[in-house]
Amino acid sequence: MSKRVACINLPRQKDAAKKADVTQTIIDKNIVPDNLKALFAGKYFYIKTFGCQANIRDEEVMAGYLTLVGMKRTDNQKEADIAIINTCAVRENAEEKVYGEIGTFKCNKERNKNFMLVLAGCVMQEEGIAVDLLQSYPWISLVIGTHDVHNLLNLLSEALRRKQSLINVRSFADEIIENMPSQRLSSYQAYVNISYGCDKFCTYCIVPYTRGRERSRAPEDIINECKKLVDEGYKEITLLGQNVNSYGLDLKNGTTFASLLESVAKLGVPRLKFLTSYPSQFSDDMIEVMAKYDNIEKWLHFPVQSGSTSCLKRMARRYTRDEYLEKVRKIRERMPDIALTTDIIVGFPGETEEEFADTLKLAEEVSYSAAFTFIYSARQGTPAAKMEQVPSEVQHERFDRLKALIDVTTAKHSSTMIGKTFDILVQGPSKRNSEVLSGYATNGKLVNFKGPAYLTGCIVPVKILESHVYSLIGELAEDPLVLKAKDVAFLMSKDPLLKEYLALDENIRSDASIKELGDALVREKKAMGESFMDKDIHEAHKAEYEKVLEAMKNHPLLANRNELMSLVEERLLEVRDYLR
């Protein structure tokens, strides 16, 4: 390796397979190195993320760290002073996209000698990748893996201090990092990690080698994070894990995903969902919790991968075709209207025509509302890469047949929505037509409808008019101004000042001493009216009335409310001005 590159850690697949006896929790102190702040405060950062929701969550955390430096996000990569390419290794074409992205940042370095390019994510966890990239692209400043997102600032600082490019990609991780900063990409939808890594080692999958073995966060840390999001007015929380159903097993204290899901549901977030489930570990308790709470979306992503038991065995999936179908039966028995989606791999090594036929039959029987179908892509270092591969032309032909079937089941499910009204979480205006909004129903379906952009982030009722198979067309079922007012009322209910005021008002309503003063005030006022012909008696009741009035004025709860009133009025005026 050249002198311009320093290697702290390089990935080793054998290390990634190791399992820690105990997972330690580390509280991050959010310290910003002085040299980083001096050089980049007030400058711009750019992040491009490929892949799944776990990568998106990593982006939010990395953005949080750069914000601590005093940097601002930009969507224009040409003005970036620090750029991060956050990579995905699940499919081969995702890797190929990364190489093209790296080349576009050469001009940044030519224009700005202090420019720093960071490569992060799952691709960097593969053996040999980091070294090859630094030899081909000398303008890369830092390569980090998935286990060192929390170490971003220290490593950038070290690269500056050494005046070298750094590689720090650990394969083994035995820790959970808490208190990481975050710059959320949405103000109404949030991802929350409940665990990291995976212990399943499916023969086609590289995730256990890129994300490490499974490590569960403490339930109290997850619940506290979710409570904060609910208090801030988030409309939807998605709990993330490579396999959420095995959450808590490594904690060895009886914690289960069903109990965690119920605890989060009780916080009152309007919409709650989770990704991703492993079929054999989807318990009866999970079914009951999902059915019990209305705010848990009645949509389940339930990856089957193949409908053939023999193929599932080669994949090292720990269930059979019949066991999967029995789980589906139980789920639909308890939740008849649930929408099921799935992942299916076509052309897995050794897949026969009979095995593929089993997949088609299963997909037809389950009648998925949608499915993510993939042609098998060999990942270096996985057992399946060494198996007998299915010819490409066979893979593509089978893929087309499966897609045609999925189109039919998807259309069938979408058609059942026509004429019905669904609550839609609005994502924003369509890129093609600013007058058309897009959003998702609780069954995962994309719905387009006409409406004003100010409904972005609101949950609105939409009546479905027609189906376009993978998306639907609808119309607002209520006046958009009324819907916006309802949304503002919802957000105002989360405002700390208004919550304090409402809580105080509730205490006043239930306080016995205030009720007694109120009754006395009414009594003396009535007596004053009845005694107006007798001056002395009237004056006595008037004096008593004023005495009670003064006592009410000086009552601690009422005095506090009067102090808060002016602040609340200012806040309401701000809301009025916003709505104009």
Side-chain angles (χ1 to χ4, degrees):
M1 195 172 298
S2 68
K3 292 181 180 180
R4 65 176 180 80
V5 178
C7 178
I8 300 173
N9 287 295
L10 283 175
R12 296 180 71 247
Q13 199 170 64
K14 289 182 180 179
D15 290 340
K18 293 178 181 177
K19 178 81 170 177
D21 294 330
V22 179
T23 299
Q24 57 178 325
T25 298
I26 298 172
I27 308 300
D28 190 83
K29 295 180 180 179
N30 294 176
I31 296 173
V32 180
D34 290 338
N35 64 340
L36 211 57
K37 185 178 290 186
L39 191 59
F40 290 109
K43 302 292 181 65
Y44 292 93
F45 70 86
Y46 171 90
I47 303 178
K48 179 69 173 285
T49 291
F50 297 88
C52 67
Q53 290 86 353
N55 271 17
I56 293 172
R57 184 68 189 117
D58 284 346
E59 174 183 341
E60 293 179 333
V61 171
M62 289 189 286
Y65 278 110
L66 294 176
T67 302
L68 288 181
V69 176
M71 300 190 73
K72 296 170 284 189
R73 181 190 285 271
T74 179
D75 293 327
N76 181 359
Q77 67 180 59
K78 291 182 179 180
E79 69 177 2
D81 297 279
I82 293 179
I84 299 175
I85 303 175
N86 193 21
T87 64
C88 172
V90 172
R91 287 182 292 281
E92 188 174 7
N93 63 347
E95 285 187 20
E96 292 171 353
K97 289 179 181 178
V98 170
Y99 301 132
E101 287 289 330
I102 295 171
T104 64
F105 287 99
K106 183 179 180 180
C107 57
N108 288 63
K109 190 67 175 178
E110 292 172 347
R111 287 195 306 265
N112 178 4
K113 65 182 179 64
N114 293 321
F115 171 76
M116 301 186 80
L117 176 62
V118 181
L119 301 187
C122 295
V123 171
M124 301 306 112
Q125 296 286 154
E126 297 182 56
E127 290 186 20
I129 293 288
V131 174
D132 289 347
L133 286 173
L134 278 167
Q135 288 175 346
S136 302
Y137 305 98
W139 55 92
I140 297 171
S141 302
L142 174 65
V143 177
I144 61 172
T146 58
H147 305 313
D148 279 290
V149 169
H150 68 286
N151 219 7
L152 174 64
L153 299 188
N154 289 331
L155 291 169
L156 284 170
S157 173
E158 185 67 7
L160 285 174
R161 189 185 66 79
R162 294 192 188 195
K163 297 181 180 179
Q164 288 179 298
S165 299
L166 292 187
I167 300 174
N168 187 60
V169 183
R170 291 184 297 140
S171 292
F172 175 70
D174 64 349
E175 75 275 4
I176 293 284
I177 310 297
E178 295 292 347
N179 196 41
M180 292 187 290
S182 177
Q183 188 185 74
R184 300 274 180 185
L185 293 172
S186 170
S187 61
Y188 50 90
Q189 290 176 298
Y191 295 119
V192 174
N193 293 112
I194 67 170
S195 61
Y196 302 91
C198 183
D199 283 352
K200 287 294 181 280
F201 288 93
C202 300
T203 57
Y204 56 82
C205 186
I206 201 167
V207 168
Y209 306 108
T210 61
R211 290 276 173 182
R213 300 296 294 272
E214 192 163 273
R215 294 145 0 253
S216 299
R217 293 178 66 194
E220 58 269 23
D221 291 327
I222 298 167
I223 293 167
N224 286 339
E225 182 178 347
C226 291
K227 185 178 185 305
K228 185 173 184 290
L229 291 166
V230 172
D231 289 344
E232 290 173 356
Y234 275 79
K235 312 290 176 53
E236 182 180 271
I237 291 175
T238 302
L239 303 178
L240 294 181
Q242 297 298 330
N243 172 18
V244 293
N245 301 127
S246 62
Y247 167 79
L249 293 179
D250 56 323
L251 298 177
K252 300 176 182 178
N253 60 5
T255 299
T256 65
F257 181 56
S259 63
L260 175 71
L261 185 67
E262 183 165 31
S263 296
V264 177
K266 287 179 178 178
L267 296 176
V269 63
R271 292 165 67 143
L272 176 62
K273 58 184 181 180
F274 51 88
L275 292 168
T276 294
S277 287
Y278 193 86
S280 64
Q281 291 180 303
F282 196 83
S283 66
D284 292 347
D285 287 344
M286 273 297 306
I287 297 173
E288 290 306 311
V289 170
M290 282 192 73
K292 181 178 179 181
Y293 292 92
D294 291 338
N295 60 338
I296 299 177
E297 295 189 8
K298 300 308 179 278
W299 164 74
L300 176 63
H301 191 61
F302 211 47
V304 67
Q305 306 301 357
S306 172
S308 161
T309 295
S310 54
C311 194
L312 288 169
K313 186 174 182 179
R314 291 198 305 279
M315 290 177 168
R317 300 289 284 181
R318 303 175 191 187
Y319 53 87
T320 65
R321 169 196 179 88
D322 290 342
E323 288 168 345
Y324 180 90
L325 289 172
E326 175 61 16
K327 292 281 185 183
V328 170
R329 185 193 66 77
K330 283 186 175 183
I331 292 165
R332 284 206 165 126
E333 184 178 72
R334 192 69 178 84
M335 294 173 283
D337 294 330
I338 194 167
L340 293 178
T341 59
T342 196
D343 295 333
I344 300 176
I345 298 172
V346 176
F348 184 77
E351 183 186 64
T352 65
E353 181 59 31
E354 291 74 18
E355 288 175 330
F356 178 67
D358 282 343
T359 295
L360 291 176
K361 291 174 186 174
L362 181 139
E364 186 173 20
E365 182 175 345
V366 176
S367 191
Y368 294 108
S369 65
F372 298 93
T373 54
F374 311 99
I375 292 175
Y376 170 74
S377 174
R379 311 314 296 127
Q380 186 178 355
T382 60
K386 300 175 183 177
M387 298 179 184
E388 181 182 354
Q389 304 298 304
V390 174
S392 175
E393 61 272 18
V394 175
Q395 288 181 320
H396 283 83
E397 187 271 338
R398 289 176 183 170
F399 177 84
D400 291 341
R401 286 157 59 193
L402 176 62
K403 184 180 181 303
L405 174 60
I406 296 300
D407 285 346
V408 171
T409 63
T410 301
K412 179 182 176 182
H413 186 272
S414 295
S415 66
T416 64
M417 296 174 65
I418 296 174
K420 299 176 183 177
T421 299
F422 293 84
D423 285 340
I424 307 299
L425 179 55
V426 183
Q427 305 294 304
S430 165
K431 292 180 179 178
R432 295 181 180 178
N433 185 345
S434 61
E435 295 181 356
V436 174
L437 301 178
S438 297
Y440 287 92
T442 54
N443 61 12
K445 291 286 188 178
L446 177 66
V447 179
N448 298 309
F449 56 98
K450 286 187 176 181
Y454 61 68
L455 290 179
T456 299
C458 300
I459 296 176
V460 301
V462 175
K463 183 178 180 180
I464 306 303
L465 302 178
E466 58 184 89
S467 167
H468 289 184
V469 182
Y470 285 95
S471 65
L472 299 111
I473 304 298
E475 64 179 6
L476 281 170
E478 291 185 37
D479 184 281
L481 277 175
V482 173
L483 292 170
K484 185 61 182 179
K486 288 180 179 179
D487 187 68
V488 171
F490 169 80
L491 294 175
M492 286 173 62
S493 71
K494 306 297 181 182
D495 184 281
L497 175 64
L498 293 173
K499 287 174 74 173
E500 182 183 358
Y501 179 82
L502 292 172
L504 181 60
D505 194 59
E506 184 62 31
N507 287 336
I508 289 170
R509 292 172 186 274
S510 60
D511 188 271
S513 63
I514 292 177
K515 184 178 186 304
E516 187 177 325
L517 287 171
D519 291 342
L521 197 68
V522 171
R523 188 168 57 249
E524 293 303 327
K525 187 174 184 179
K526 182 179 179 183
M528 284 168 56
E530 292 174 347
S531 63
F532 75 95
M533 297 295 291
D534 190 321
K535 184 178 179 181
D536 291 339
I537 296 175
H538 180 78
E539 288 298 325
H541 282 301
K542 181 180 179 182
E544 189 61 29
Y545 177 83
E546 290 175 349
K547 182 180 176 181
V548 174
L549 200 62
E550 185 67 18
M552 291 187 74
K553 180 181 176 182
N554 293 325
H555 192 286
L557 289 178
L558 293 172
N560 287 343
R561 183 175 67 175
N562 289 337
E563 289 180 9
L564 278 176
M565 180 67 77
S566 61
L567 296 175
V568 170
E569 287 177 351
E570 288 179 13
R571 188 63 51 87
L572 293 174
L573 287 173
E574 289 176 9
V575 173
R576 181 201 65 185
D577 293 340
Y578 171 77
L579 288 173
R580 281 180 171 174

